[in-house]
Amino acid sequence: MTVAAFHQVIVVGAGAAGLAAGGRLHQAGIDVMVVEAAPRTGGRAYTDTASFGFAWDQGCHWLHSASVNPLRAAADELGFSYLMRGTRKARETHIGGRWADEAEREAAWQAIDATYAAIKKAGDEGRDIAASEVMDASNPWNRLARHWLTLMSAAEPERLSTLDYAAYSDTGENYPVEQGYGALIQALAARTAPDLPVMTSCPVARIDWSGEGVKLETPRGTLAARLVIVAVPTTVIARGGLQFAPVLPVELAEAFEALPLGAAEKVAFLFDRDVFGVPSSSYVDTIDLAHPDRRPINFVLNHFGANIAIGQLGGDNAARLVKAGPEAMRDFGLAALKDAFGADIEKHVVRVATTGWVADPLIGGAYSCALPGFAHVRARLARPLGDRILFAGEAVSAHAYSTAHGAHLTGLAAADAALAQLTGRAA
């Protein structure tokens, strides 16, 4: 096997975790190369400026747990602005034929909060069961509670571990980034290591760890390294998009299978004027109480002052709509907006943009959640494989999984572990 290039460390994947790992190693003077299958870097941290001429995040957008989120400090240092909000609670709720009154809105959010509390309680008690088992299906707002739970976890409650849910550390501070979270990740990477070697459009087909060091099969030849940091989504590995030789140990393969990426998608509408008459970045929920088969959708209206509505979809409904195509996503989101704000708003739609994370073979979904009974397997991803392979990414984070800052921190941790191995010092 002819080796095209050798590096001390190769990082596979240039999302938030891979960029953090590569940047730290490069800063430390390590010969590191980052390889990325996609033609761009950032992964699920992607700020789109082409669709509407201004920034909106197709992927992660909120600085979760902002007071302890290291990327908030980066935002401050880099001049990225954000709204300091403690909640994503809706300003208004449309319930089909009318707007909910104050008592109804409060009842809806009490039901949502009670759902969160019941799931966390089960997890805190050490019960690793499906979240659906502790939800109150008789509550009239249960469908809205399910919707919000799928947005948070990207999975239906039947596929969500209560123990894993309870492990998530949340301060309740969710600050949306005005210039885009994806743009923040890019700016931080550029500042940390402006000349970090990154090879895009270079998918790794197989990682051979059978001998000394590691060899990676790519379209650009075989790359070799002493150590490899794998920072790709769990679903890519579980589906065989990235193969290993020898195959992964059973316990590790099981972990990737049991931590799938669910679905969290967006449909965004640009209008030629302000059709909503609400303050900048207002949050609105919609649920049709008269038609139980119709799934809820919530919106950010007048996003940072722009004439735009961004609809958020989660779970099976999101996956179904992506499969049906952009027109189906448009129709679903626009129907809810027309119910709430009148049919005339359709004539003011200028452009529509949709996401499709579940259909992207290089991503395969939104973010990880543990299946019921498998919360314990997340810890397996934090262990090195054969002293040559380390894993990073949001799924590796024990308490900040599903977040960009969780991915970022695991990238730094993997880089520190690699440095310790290379230098012979304890991490």
Side-chain angles (χ1 to χ4, degrees), residues 190-268:
R191 186 194 67 175
T192 301
D195 53 350
L196 173 67
V198 180
M199 190 183 301
T200 55
S201 299
C202 184
V204 176
R206 184 187 303 271
I207 296 178
D208 183 343
W209 57 291
S210 60
E212 286 191 21
V214 186
K215 294 182 176 61
L216 291 76
E217 298 177 13
T218 81
R220 314 226 185 144
T222 299
L223 307 178
R226 182 173 170 187
L227 298 172
V228 168
I229 296 174
V230 177
V232 302
T234 55
T235 298
V236 171
I237 294 176
R239 292 176 178 173
L242 173 59
Q243 298 183 354
F244 293 80
V247 297
L248 293 176
V250 172
E251 296 80 5
L252 192 54
E254 180 185 54
F256 283 106
E257 290 278 358
L259 295 166
L261 303 190
E265 305 287 351
K266 300 177 185 180
V267 53

Side-chain angles (χ1 to χ4, degrees), residues 269-282:
F269 300 86
L270 178 66
F271 297 87
D272 62 11
R273 66 193 66 183
D274 177 10
V275 297
F276 303 116
V278 298
S280 175
S281 296
S282 291

Side-chain angles (χ1 to χ4, degrees), residues 111-138 142 145-167 369-375 401:
I112 293 169
D113 287 341
T115 295
Y116 297 161
I119 297 169
K120 188 174 188 308
K121 180 176 183 292
D124 287 342
E125 293 171 348
R127 301 168 66 196
D128 193 351
I129 58 176
S132 57
E133 293 188 33
V134 296
M135 294 178 67
D136 181 4
S138 66
N142 185 58
R146 286 182 64 98
H147 167 71
W148 270 100
L149 192 60
T150 60
L151 290 182
M152 292 176 61
S153 63
E156 299 296 323
E158 289 76 12
R159 290 173 54 82
L160 173 62
S161 158
T162 54
L163 188 58
D164 193 53
Y165 177 93
C369 68
L371 297 175
F374 289 94
Y401 58 85

Side-chain angles (χ1 to χ4, degrees), residues 6-30:
F6 177 86
H7 303 276
Q8 287 177 286
V9 181
I10 295 177
V11 179
V12 182
L19 291 174
R24 174 155 290 186
L25 289 167
H26 188 69
Q27 275 188 321
I30 298 300

